[in-house]
Structures are given as structure tokens and as C-alpha cells.
């Protein structure tokens, strides 16, 4: 989906904003009081509702997750020029772009900024105030330059709402139990804290739902190394005896590199004249096998808890659990198709399945197509010989009713042991467990509806 | 400099004359004895273990062992965790890496053993013999790395293809550290708690020998000769790595 008008598409959002900013020039200039009031409102949004202060400092010594924004209003035009923005409002366009479309440009040494304006629920006026505040940092607050692209904002919000819908079918109360079960397969509390409870080894998750999009949270659980938070990347230094010293680099001088090697803050000095090789670890300190350890339902429950733990704090819902009937209703709702949602749906489906669909495709081509056909419709060359016809894997209704685990079971144990046709052979002896999950992942690409969520147990 | 002395003990001379002879050669043995040379060093500072994080690591009432395993010297002077590798000088005598699976366990919130040697291409099963959940996180520049949550009694099987010393850590119990020494050498071992190691069934011949230790460094040794039915002895004196001097003031 791209709501940018066609004539501006080559320039993306920047072009749109630039055009709108230029349009704004024609509007009546706001007074100095307007400007200062807007900047003040923006300042309180910065530390408050918009949660910018969670990562950015404005002056001071502490290095945050995001760049220090002191003087950003003065630097904005220059930075904008580096990204091809020009004209009298290039600085304002740059601030807009950084805020609304942060993945477009990332300051070196930092992670891409999340689309926090969506997660924190800023309305159009609040976005404008925030930009005026950023202008005022080392520059001039100029509300007249600030013109919003309302249609684009509305489309992004609609997109975001769908994402919330997709990831909110889990039960936060169940998710909470999984989060705090130290002995369980999830046991997030072994490392993370939320609402003041837990360990501070890993990022605190209390405010993550104000900053990150729901699909990011889901992705973090399923593929933790896709995105390692800045400041959590481990440096590996190999000395001349072959030992890899591992830790977070905290200091360096002409002689040594200082690494923090454990959570107690123990430091180790590695002599530079002994270092023969080095690299950063691409693997997160968060384990990467939760997609194997947890059912899809458990993953959704956890995501629901992280995103909606505020609801559990409210006295009205504390300790209550959604009744089973309501849960079923939610799950059924999740299975009804969202016609305009194909891209998200696809992403969701792939995120939910444990396997590698590309590998699944080649296994399918080798073992399954003789009966199920190259297009998965159950019309392979061998189908004519079979009394009971092979399953049609493109049948939306049927496939949407079949859980991943059941598909896995039928492939592994064969039709006879799972109440299906005895003509479906068991593949558990031929294929590895991983390959069977790859097949399941591939099967999920053959039909359009969202698959059902696995039930716990 | 390291001094190395090898004695071939002619065990056969001490054996009774009626020793049954075998047509299949069973090879010879190498007995390695490490010995700390000079004054004993101060032990490394103990591991920094937060008692709350260590809950469940040991039985109630017991205290977790905080010894830093990177340098352990036995009362007799032997050094633990010294890796010895042997490669036949005759390329024809080189055998293929063994296909067996090696186990790195987690016990009382420490990796067991502290140093595991495996031939390149073999599999390591990372086990969890504790009652608490661990995660196994490998660090390497040349091998495939991973980080997996491994619950009590579960395990994770992975292959290591390239010779390298892989560092293994647990992020939940961040003091936990172990090494997997991946080698191309067909014969290898690590010294035990007394600082000794015995390698047997070594085909007769001459071998290139090398040693490695987590904090004492590494080195090449004089070639080792193994004779059929005999035990060769390798004395390995060890001392601290050279002291660094700061060139610059901090």
C-alpha cells in the first residue's frame, strides 16, 4: 500500500512532505506566541506520551539508544541536504521524515528508529507540535512550515490498527503466566522485567508497547537475532592463543580494550598487541528457539501480555481470564479473512510457522507432488490410481480448519493413524522433524486464509 | 622457554614373559604430566555470582562454586584443562575425524567440562543436567553460531566444522563460560583435575604435538614418538604468560 500520490512516488514520503511543506508556505504565518505554545506542548509530548525520551536525550552526558537531539533544529537542514532535500523548508521536511518514516535514514551507529508515533497513538496536532519542538532545539520554531499529510497518516494508522488486531487475539492473562513462569519454556522473567518485576539483564519491557509496533514484538519472540538492540551487541576479540574474549566494549586506550564480560559488571582487559582477529556477534543474547519451544498460541499470548499488560494492571480485569467461549470467538474472528490485508497476513502466517517454506517447497516437489500435484490441488499424476483422492492443499476452508500441529502429525504418522486416508503414507521415518515443519510452512503458502492457532497442551 | 622431556618407558621389560601376544597392533600410549613451574600464582579472582540469579543452581543449603576455571592448579602442581593435540608426521597415517557426538553438559551452573576438544566436523550435544533453564550461546568467528534456550533435561545438537576455539556462554547465568576446542588433529585430550592425561591406542610413529590452555597460551612441542605396546611420557612444564607493561598511562 502506498498512499503517496502517483506524481510524487519517485520521491517517496520525502517528496510528499516537501510538497506539503511548500504548500504550507502560502498559509498565514502563525504568531510568535503560537510558535512558543506549540513548542511547549511538543516538549511535554517528547518526554511524555510520545516516549521519545526513552531513547533520545537532549543534551547531557548519557549516551542513549538514539542520537542526542540537542541542536537538531539547527542541524536539520544540513542533514536534510545529505538526503537530497533542498529548499527553504528542507530542515522541517527532514524532521518530518525522521519522525514519520524513520527507516528511510538511520544515523550511523544506531538502530533504525521504530514508528513510535503510531505505537504511542499521536494525533495529527500532536505530531505537528512535536516537530515544532524539534525545530526549536537549536533552530526556530516555525509552525507555518509544518503541514501534515493527513491521508498518508490516516492510511498508516489504519494499517497499524490491523496489526494490533492481528496480534491481539492472544490472552494477556495466559501470557502473563508464561512470562513469569521461571521454569517454563518461555520464562521471560529470567532475563526481562516488566512493571517493576523481573530481572534487569535484558531490556525492560514495560514501555515497549508505546514505542514498537506489534509485529516487531512478535518478530522479536520468533526471530530474536533479526534485530539486536543497540548497545547489546557483543564484541568478540580473538587473542594470539586463539581465545575469543566476549563482552560489551566499554572502554579502550592505546594498550587495551575493556570488555564487560558478565551481568555483575566484571571487566576484562584484552591487550591490543595480542588481538589477531575480531568481530561482532550476530546472535542476540535472547535465545532464538522460542518458535520451537512454544506453540503459536503461547507466542500470541505472550505478545498480547507484552502489548496489553496495562490492562491487567487495571483493577477491573486483574486476575480474570477471558472465558473459553470468548477465546474461541476471538480465534474464530482471527480466522475470518481480511481481504485487504494480504501482505500482513502473509507476514503473520510466515512468522507463525516454524519452518523454512523454501526448503518445504523443494521437499514438497520431491515427495508430495506425485499425488498432491505440483499446484497442491490434489491432482498429481498418481491421484488417478487412488481410491480416496489426495487432499487439496489450496482448499481455504479445509486448510484454515487444520492446525499446524495436526498437519505435522498427519505427515509424520500417516493417514491411517490420524483418521485420514490410509493411502497417505507416514513420512516420519523418511523426513527429519525440521523438514516436516518446513513442509508445514510451505503448505501455509498454498492457501489464503489465516491458519488456526494451536491450542496449548 | 618450555623444556620438554620424553621418556619411553619400556613397559614390556617389566611384563611377565607369558604376556599373550596379539596379532592386531593396539598401539602405544602417551602419558602427559603438566607441572607448574616456579612459585604458585595467586588464584584468579572468583567469579562474580549474584546469589539471586544463582537460585536453583545447587541444592538448598549449598553454595555455588565460584572458582574461576580459567586457571586451576592441583595441589601436586598439575594444571587442568590443558589441551594436547597429536598429528602424525606421516600423512598416510592421518585418520579421519571421528564421527561420534561429544557432550558439553551444564551442571551446578557451570559448563562441564570447562574445555571440550572435538574434531572438526563433529557434533556437540549441549545438555542441561541442572534443574534450572539455561541458554547455550556460542561465539565464533568461523563456525555457525546459535543461542538456544535449553530447559532442564533437554539438549541442543550442533555441528562444528572449522578448527577454532569456540567460546560458550549462558546469558541467564552470565558467569558461565566454557570452551569448545575444534581441532584438525586426529588425536587429542585435555588434562584432568590432577593435570594429567593419558592417550592410548596411538598407532606407532612420530607425531607433531601442541598444547593450549585458556589463560596460559599455546605452544608447539618437540615431536613425540610412540612405540607399539609402550608408554611414552611427556612432561609439560607451564608458567604464566609474559607480563604486559603499559606503554601508555591511563
Amino acid at each position: 500500500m502506498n498512499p503517496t500520490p502517483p506524481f510524487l512516488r519517485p520521491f517517496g514520503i520525502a517528496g510528499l512532505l516537501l510538497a506539503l511543506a511548500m504548500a504550507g508556505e502560502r498559509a498565514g504565518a502563525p504568531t510568535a506566541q503560537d510558535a512558543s505554545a506549540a513548542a511547549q506542548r511538543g516538549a511535554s509530548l517528547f518526554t511524555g506520551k510520545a516516549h521519545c525520551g526513552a531513547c533520545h536525550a537532549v543534551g547531557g552526558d548519557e549516551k542513549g539508544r538514539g542520537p542526542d537531539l540537542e541542536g537538531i533544529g539547527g542541524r536539520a537542514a544540513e542533514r536534510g541536504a545529505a538526503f537530497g532535500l533542498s529548499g527553504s523548508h528542507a530542515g522541517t521536511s527532514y524532521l518530518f521524515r525522521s519522525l514519520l518514516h524513520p527507516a528511510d535514514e538511520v544515523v550511523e551507529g544506531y538502530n533504525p528508529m521504530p514508528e513510535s508515533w503510531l505505537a504511542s497513538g499521536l494525533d495529527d496536532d500532536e505530531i505537528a507540535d512535536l516537530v515544532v519542538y524539534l525545530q526549536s532545539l537549536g533552530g526556530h520554531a516555525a509552525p507555518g512550515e509544518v503541514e501534515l499529510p493527513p491521508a498518508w497518516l490516516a492510511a498508516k494508522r489504519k494499517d497499524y490498527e490491523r496489526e494490533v488486531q492481528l496480534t491481539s487475539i492472544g490472552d494477556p492473562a495466559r501470557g502473563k503466566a508464561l512470562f513469569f513462569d521461571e521454569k517454563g519454556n518461555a520464562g521471560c522473567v529470567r532475563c526481562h522485567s516488566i512493571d517493576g518485576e523481573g530481572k534487569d539483564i535484558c531490556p525492560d519491557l514495560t514501555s515497549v508497547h508505546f514505542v514498537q509496533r506489534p509485529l516487531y514484538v512478535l518478530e522479536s519472540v520468533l526471530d530474536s537475532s533479526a534485530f539486536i538492540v543497540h548497545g547489546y551487541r557483543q564484541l568478540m576479540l580473538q587473542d594470539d592463543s586463539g581465545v575469543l574474549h566476549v563482552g560489551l566494549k566499554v572502554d579502550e586506550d592505546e594498550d587495551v580494550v575493556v570488555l564487560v564480560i558478565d551481568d555483575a559488571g566484571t571487566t576484562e582487559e584484552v591487550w591490543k598487541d595480542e588481538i589477531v582477529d575480531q568481530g561482532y556477534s550476530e546472535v542476540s543474547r535472547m535465545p532464538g528457539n522460542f518458535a520451537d519451544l512454544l506453540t503459536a498460541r503461547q507466542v500470541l499470548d505472550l505478545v498480547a501480555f507484552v502489548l496489553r499488560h496495562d490492562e491487567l494492571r487495571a483493577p477491573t480485569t486483574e486476575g480474570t481470564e477471558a472465558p473459553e467461549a470468548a477465546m474461541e470467538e476471538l480465534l474464530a474472528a482471527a480466522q475470518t479473512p481480511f481481504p485487504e490485508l494480504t501482505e500482513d497476513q502473509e507476514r503473520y502466517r510466515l512468522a507463525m510457522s516454524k519452518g523454512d517454506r523454501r526448503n518445504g517447497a523443494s521437499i514438497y516437489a520431491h515427495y508430495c507432488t506425485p499425488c498432491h500435484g505440483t499446484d497442491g490441488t490434489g491432482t498429481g499424476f498418481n491421484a488417478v490410481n487412488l481410491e480416496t483422492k489426495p487432499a487439496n492443499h489450496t482448499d481455504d476452508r479445509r486448510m484454515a480448519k487444520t492446525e499446524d500441529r495436526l498437519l505435522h502429525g498427519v505427515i509424520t504418522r500417516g493417514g491411517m493413524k490420524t483418521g485420514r486416508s490410509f493411502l497417505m503414507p507416514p513420512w516420519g521415518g523418511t523426513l527429519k522433524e525440521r523438514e516436516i515443519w518446513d513442509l508445514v510452512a510451505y503448505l501455509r503458502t498454498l492457501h489464503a486464509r489465516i491458519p488456526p492457532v494451536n491450542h496449548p497442551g | 622457554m618450555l623444556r620438554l622431556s620424553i621418556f619411553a618407558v619400556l613397559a614390556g621389560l617389566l611384563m611377565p614373559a607369558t604376556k599373550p601376544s596379539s596379532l592386531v597392533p593396539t598401539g602405544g600410549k602417551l602419558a602427559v604430566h603438566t607441572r607448574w613451574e616456579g612459585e604458585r600464582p595467586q588464584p584468579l579472582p572468583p567469579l562474580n555470582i549474584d546469589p539471586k540469579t544463582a537460585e536453583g543452581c545447587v541444592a538448598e543449603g549449598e553454595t555455588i562454586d565460584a572458582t574461576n576455571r580459567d586457571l586451576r592448579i592441583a595441589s601436586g602442581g598439575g594444571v587442568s584443562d590443558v589441551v594436547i593435540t597429536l598429528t602424525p608426521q606421516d600423512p598416510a597415517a592421518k585418520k579421519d575425524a571421528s564421527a561420534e557426538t561429544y557432550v558439553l553438559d551444564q551442571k551446578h551452573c557451570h559448563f562441564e567440562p570447562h574445555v571440550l576438544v572435538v574434531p572438526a566436523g563433529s557434533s556437540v550435544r549441549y545438555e542441561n543436567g541442572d534443574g534450572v533453564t539455561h541458554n547455550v550461546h556460542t561465539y565464533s568467528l568461523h563456525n555457525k553460531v546459535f543461542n538456544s534456550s535449553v530447559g532442564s533435561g533437554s539438549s541442543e545438537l550442533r555441528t562444528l566444522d572449522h578448527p577454532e576455539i569456540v567460546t560458550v556462554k549462558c546469558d541467564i547465568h552470565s558467569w558461565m563460560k566454557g570452551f569448545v576446542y575444534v581441532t584438525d588433529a586426529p588425536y587429542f585430550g585435555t588434562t584432568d583435575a590432577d593435570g594429567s592425561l593419558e592417550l592410548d591406542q596411538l598407532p606407532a610413529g612420530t607425531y607433531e604435538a601442541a598444547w593450549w590452555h585458556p589463560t596460559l597460551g599455546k605452544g608447539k612441542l618437540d615431536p613425540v614418538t610412540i612405540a607399539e605396546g609402550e608408554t611414552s611420557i611427556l612432561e609439560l612444564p607451564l608458567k604464566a604468560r609474559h607480563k604486559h607493561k603499559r606503554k601508555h598511562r591511563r
Side-chain angles (χ1 to χ4, degrees):
Chain A
M1 170 165 35
N2 188 348
T4 315
F7 65 94
L8 279 172
R9 271 183 203 164
F11 307 101
I13 180 66
L16 176 66
L17 294 172
L18 200 61
L20 288 161
M22 287 186 298
E25 217 169 352
R26 290 191 292 273
T31 65
Q33 286 100 315
D34 288 347
S36 123
Q40 255 172 31
R41 287 194 300 272
S44 55
L45 285 165
F46 187 91
T47 49
K49 183 178 176 181
H51 289 85
C52 314
C55 296
H56 294 283
V58 180
D61 296 328
E62 227 169 286
K63 188 168 164 30
R65 276 188 199 164
D68 189 328
L69 296 181
E70 186 168 38
I72 188 68
R75 293 198 300 276
E78 190 192 325
R79 287 203 62 84
F83 290 96
L85 303 174
S86 58
S88 59
H89 296 167
T92 304
S93 297
Y94 171 76
L95 293 176
F96 255 124
R97 189 164 90 158
S98 304
L99 177 64
L100 297 180
H101 217 249
D104 272 5
E105 61 96 1
V106 180
V107 178
E108 211 183 302
Y110 292 93
N111 287 315
M113 181 174 120
E115 288 170 287
S116 315
W117 67 276
L118 284 167
S120 58
L122 297 184
D123 66 25
D124 290 9
D125 292 340
E126 289 168 332
I127 291 169
D129 288 343
L130 204 51
V131 172
V132 174
Y133 168 63
L134 294 174
Q135 286 176 329
S136 77
L137 297 172
H140 299 290
E145 290 184 11
V146 176
E147 189 79 20
L148 294 161
W152 185 86
L153 292 171
K156 288 290 270 189
R157 286 197 186 97
K158 206 171 152 205
D159 221 20
Y160 178 79
E161 281 313 312
R162 289 198 196 108
E163 204 174 296
V164 172
Q165 231 179 318
L166 274 173
T167 46
S168 64
I169 57 174
D171 178 340
R174 277 182 216 272
K176 183 178 183 178
L178 290 164
F179 191 100
F180 285 106
D181 178 9
E182 268 205 57
K183 297 230 180 255
N185 276 345
C188 318
V189 71
R190 290 189 290 258
C191 205
H192 291 283
S193 57
I194 195 163
D195 289 335
E197 255 185 274
K199 301 228 166 77
D200 57 1
I201 301 172
C202 304
D204 182 289
L205 301 177
T206 307
S207 301
V208 73
H209 59 308
F210 292 123
V211 178
Q212 297 287 4
R213 295 179 67 138
L215 275 178
Y216 170 87
V217 177
L218 177 64
E219 221 167 51
S220 303
V221 179
L222 293 172
D223 185 7
S224 56
S225 292
F227 198 93
I228 306 174
V229 173
H230 180 71
Y232 286 83
R233 255 159 55 110
Q234 305 271 308
L235 180 62
M236 303 183 284
L237 300 172
Q238 188 176 44
D239 72 23
D240 53 12
S241 81
V243 174
L244 268 187
H245 302 266
V246 178
L248 292 173
K249 180 172 142 182
V250 287
D251 201 3
E252 178 177 2
D253 64 17
E254 286 91 338
D255 291 323
V256 294
V257 176
V258 185
L259 299 177
V260 168
I261 57 164
D262 63 17
D263 295 321
T266 309
T267 55
E268 182 179 321
E269 292 184 346
V270 184
W271 289 88
K272 280 185 166 177
D273 58 6
E274 285 180 356
I275 297 172
V276 294
D277 204 355
Q278 57 180 296
Y280 278 100
S281 172
E282 297 299 326
V283 173
S284 170
R285 290 190 62 194
M286 164 131 164
N289 62 335
F290 287 115
D292 297 328
L293 293 177
L294 305 172
T295 64
R297 163 74 175 263
Q298 288 174 321
V299 170
L300 286 176
D301 288 346
L302 274 173
V303 170
F305 172 62
V306 171
L307 294 172
R308 290 157 55 199
H309 62 99
D310 289 348
E311 294 171 22
L312 294 185
R313 268 190 310 204
T316 45
T317 54
E318 195 169 26
T320 64
E321 201 175 306
E324 202 58 33
M327 201 64 209
E328 292 302 322
E329 210 172 296
L330 270 171
L331 289 171
Q335 284 159 38
T336 57
F338 293 80
E340 312 131 294
L341 245 186
T342 51
E343 205 181 305
D344 276 353
Q345 209 173 4
E346 171 76 354
R347 204 168 160 200
Y348 169 83
R349 190 164 63 203
L350 294 176
M352 282 287 94
S353 58
K354 300 176 177 187
D356 172 351
R357 68 189 195 284
R358 262 161 291 178
N359 191 36
S362 61
I363 298 167
Y364 192 88
H366 187 79
Y367 292 102
C368 315
T369 52
C371 297
H372 293 282
T374 48
D375 57 359
T377 53
T379 54
F381 64 82
N382 195 36
V384 69
N385 301 315
L386 305 178
E387 189 94 0
T388 310
K389 294 302 166 206
N392 174 359
H393 295 145
T394 64
D395 183 338
D396 271 358
R397 278 173 55 127
R398 197 191 159 111
M399 291 299 284
K401 273 194 278 181
T402 314
E403 290 180 14
D404 283 357
R405 200 187 300 178
L406 183 54
L407 284 175
H408 177 270
V410 175
I411 299 169
T412 311
R413 300 196 292 140
M416 202 159 74
K417 288 197 176 147
T418 50
R420 294 337 208 220
S421 163
F422 69 91
L423 295 168
M424 166 72 185
W427 295 99
T430 311
L431 299 173
K432 296 191 183 103
E433 170 84 352
R434 166 60 57 188
E435 293 174 316
I436 292 171
W437 282 117
D438 292 348
L439 267 179
V440 172
Y442 175 67
L443 288 175
R444 291 308 184 197
T445 67
L446 294 177
H447 63 99
R449 284 196 200 189
I450 288 185
V453 173
N454 280 332
H455 293 267
Chain B
M1 283 300 289
L2 285 166
R3 282 182 297 107
L4 169 70
S5 36
I6 301 164
F7 307 101
V9 175
L10 299 175
L13 291 177
L14 307 171
M15 290 281 177
T18 53
K19 183 196 168 205
S21 66
S22 166
L23 290 174
V24 185
T26 53
K29 288 183 182 175
L30 178 70
V32 181
H33 301 294
T34 59
R35 180 171 39 83
W36 187 265
E37 213 183 27
E39 203 185 319
R40 294 284 172 87
Q42 287 287 317
L44 296 174
L47 300 170
N48 212 334
I49 298 178
D50 168 26
K52 198 168 175 293
T53 310
E55 270 170 28
C57 287
V58 289
E60 225 165 294
E62 287 178 27
T63 321
I64 185 167
D65 178 16
T67 309
N68 190 327
R69 295 161 182 233
D70 282 350
L71 179 59
R72 288 183 291 186
I73 304 173
S75 52
V79 181
S80 318
D81 304 306
V82 177
V83 172
I84 300 290
T85 54
L86 297 178
T87 311
Q89 277 185 340
D90 177 8
K94 197 169 168 19
K95 69 161 191 178
D96 282 339
S98 146
E100 62 182 295
T101 298
Y102 295 80
V103 173
L104 186 66
D105 200 0
Q106 300 177 84
K107 276 183 195 155
H108 306 308
C109 294
H110 289 291
F111 287 105
E112 235 17 283
H114 184 54
V115 176
L116 175 71
V117 195
V118 305
S122 55
S123 298
V124 177
R125 193 163 58 239
Y126 301 88
E127 297 188 343
N128 179 2
D130 278 336
V132 294
T133 299
H134 290 296
N135 70 306
V136 177
H137 189 165
T138 59
Y139 292 88
S140 157
L141 296 171
H142 305 293
N143 283 286
K144 274 193 186 156
V145 289
F146 71 97
N147 176 7
S148 285
S149 179
V150 178
S152 175
S154 334
S155 66
E156 184 84 16
L157 186 71
R158 299 283 173 142
T159 311
L160 290 164
D161 290 322
H162 307 288
E164 187 188 6
I165 303 159
V166 174
T167 298
V168 185
K169 296 191 77 170
C170 167
D171 296 296
I172 300 169
H173 310 98
S174 61
W175 62 85
M176 291 175 64
K177 184 184 69 176
F179 298 98
V180 182
Y181 187 107
V182 189
T183 180
D184 262 346
Y187 304 98
F188 48 77
T190 48
T191 55
D192 59 16
D194 293 328
S196 298
L197 164 70
E198 188 169 275
L199 295 169
D200 59 5
Q201 294 180 27
L202 297 169
T206 309
Y207 295 83
E208 298 295 336
W211 69 274
W212 175 86
H213 180 270
T215 53
L216 301 178
K218 64 171 182 182
K220 277 195 173 169
L221 301 169
D222 290 340
V224 172
T225 302
I226 302 293
E228 178 67 26
E230 293 175 4
T231 300
S232 298
I233 293 178
L234 193 160
E235 300 277 355
L236 177 55
L238 292 164
K239 56 185 179 185
R241 295 188 82 171
H242 68 281
K243 278 257 188 302
H244 272 281
K245 277 206 182 97
R246 281 190 176 280
K247 295 184 199 90
H248 310 270
R249 287 189 151 263
R250 297 207 78 192

